[in-house]
Amino acid sequence: MEHDAVACRAEIVRLHVLIEGLLTGAGGDAVGFALAHAPDFTLVEPGGGTLSRPEVLAMVEGARGVLPGLRIGIEDVRVVASASEFVVASYREVQVRADGGGDVRAATVVFERDASAVHGLRWRHLHETWVERS
């Protein structure tokens, strides 16, 4: 379980560094972002809508550079469940915009174990919920 906790934290932070770079326009690897997600990846947005992998990739590409100065922090990562084929983890995502406003989301992710993926984990499903919005 300790190995899973280390791998989950590393992968969650890694992907959010990519997202921050893409959204701020400071860099970010769109191909690496896409490869992190399983072909049948789904995202339940904080408002309740569900997006497919192609919709998420298009949304992120369309938002490239729209939030200069954005900072994303990851807190409270913990493994909820693990088995031979998957790991489920929860975490809090703290976004702070350049204007000082920001959002906090509680998230639960289902990772598929995949030896070819970074940290051995590929994003299969993500569910986000608003905690704070400004």
Side-chain angles (χ1 to χ4, degrees), residues 39-103:
D40 49 359
F41 172 79
T42 52
L43 165 66
V44 177
E45 299 177 293
T50 300
L51 301 176
S52 67
R53 181 181 186 268
E55 291 169 322
V56 170
L57 298 181
M59 178 181 65
V60 169
E61 185 59 37
R64 187 185 290 263
V66 300
L67 292 170
L70 175 72
R71 295 293 168 248
I72 300 175
I74 300 299
E75 302 174 347
D76 303 325
V77 176
R78 66 183 177 89
V79 173
V80 175
S82 65
S84 61
E85 296 179 6
F86 68 87
V87 181
V88 178
S90 64
Y91 63 93
R92 290 171 67 92
E93 175 183 337
V94 179
Q95 295 186 5
V96 179
R97 296 185 307 270
D99 66 6
D103 303 316

Side-chain angles (χ1 to χ4, degrees), residues 13-54:
V13 169
R14 181 192 77 84
L15 193 71
H16 284 84
V17 167
L18 282 177
I19 294 167
E20 181 181 292
L22 290 165
L23 295 179
T24 62
D29 176 9
V31 172
F33 178 80
L35 289 174
H37 297 84
D40 49 359
F41 172 79
T42 52
L43 165 66
V44 177
E45 299 177 293
T50 300
L51 301 176
S52 67
R53 181 181 186 268

Side-chain angles (χ1 to χ4, degrees), residues 1-9 11 35-40 79-89 109-125:
M1 189 78 105
E2 180 63 29
H3 176 301
D4 286 342
V6 170
C8 286
R9 176 158 184 67
E11 176 56 16
L35 289 174
H37 297 84
D40 49 359
V79 173
V80 175
S82 65
S84 61
E85 296 179 6
F86 68 87
V87 181
V88 178
V109 58
V110 178
F111 289 114
E112 294 177 353
R113 293 188 191 273
D114 182 342
S116 69
V118 179
H119 304 294
L121 301 171
R122 192 165 312 280
W123 295 69
R124 172 62 182 84
H125 178 76

